Amino acid sequence: MPTLTKAGLLAAMLFTSAAAFAQTASPVGLWKTIDDETGKPKALVRITEENGALQGKIEKLFLEPNVDQNPKCVACEDSRKNQPIIGMTIVSGLKKDGNEYTGGEILDPKKGKVYKSKATLREGGKQLEVRGYIGAPMFGRSQVWQREQ
């Protein structure tokens, strides 16, 4: 009987490890965005996958207490103009391409600009490097997001 218990325990540990790996092998989950200029947390973004493409929605903003806690995207130029930023889709269309996710777009709600984007998992899935750019990836900037879940 002890051998069966050990085998069952080993199987459970392997299953748990595989499940944890599967979670971190994909950008799907909750991410804390970090401002590349200030180094401070900006938002929590939930990335989901639908029909093979990733999209990310803002779930929470980290705002100073003296500013509007439910800001709108006043600088947006598309259908998101004057819409609440919390709940807004800011990442869309990223598809797996080797070790990267490419072909997507990302919105900077502060500037209201939409950029091409790509993303790469780092640190065993604990970080996501997100790059927004115009034209070619070398003409842009990156942020490293931290996995929350």
Side-chain angles (χ1 to χ4, degrees), residues 85-111:
I85 294 173
I86 296 172
M88 184 174 283
T89 298
I90 63 162
V91 176
S92 62
L94 288 171
K95 293 187 178 179
K96 188 158 178 56
D97 181 16
N99 291 331
E100 294 184 321
Y101 293 81
T102 62
E105 293 183 335
I106 189 164
L107 167 72
D108 178 346
K110 187 175 181 180
K111 296 180 182 176

Side-chain angles (χ1 to χ4, degrees), residues 46-136:
R46 170 89 50 196
I47 295 182
T48 58
E49 184 176 349
E50 188 175 315
N51 299 323
L54 300 176
Q55 50 273 327
K57 245 183 214 188
I58 294 180
E59 286 193 356
K60 178 180 179 176
L61 294 171
F62 297 104
L63 301 169
E64 297 295 325
N66 59 339
V67 299
D68 181 1
Q69 296 297 302
N70 193 22
K72 296 186 176 14
C73 193
V74 294
C76 286
E77 299 173 356
D78 58 13
S79 63
R80 295 173 277 204
K81 183 156 185 74
N82 294 321
Q83 297 301 308
I85 294 173
I86 296 172
M88 184 174 283
T89 298
I90 63 162
V91 176
S92 62
L94 288 171
K95 293 187 178 179
K96 188 158 178 56
D97 181 16
N99 291 331
E100 294 184 321
Y101 293 81
T102 62
E105 293 183 335
I106 189 164
L107 167 72
D108 178 346
K110 187 175 181 180
K111 296 180 182 176
K113 300 289 184 192
V114 177
Y115 302 95
K116 292 181 181 180
S117 73
K118 69 178 197 166
T120 308
L121 286 168
R122 304 260 187 246
E123 300 292 321
K126 294 177 186 171
Q127 296 180 343
L128 184 65
E129 182 180 337
V130 180
R131 184 152 185 87
Y133 58 93
I134 298 171

Side-chain angles (χ1 to χ4, degrees), residues 1-14:
M1 188 76 162
T3 305
L4 182 58
T5 304
K6 287 180 183 175
L9 183 60
L10 180 60
M13 288 172 40
L14 288 173

Side-chain angles (χ1 to χ4, degrees), residues 33-52:
T33 69
I34 307 296
D35 189 299
D36 58 304
E37 294 171 342
T38 66
K40 293 181 179 180
K42 289 176 67 171
L44 291 179
V45 175
R46 170 89 50 196
I47 295 182
T48 58
E49 184 176 349
E50 188 175 315
N51 299 323

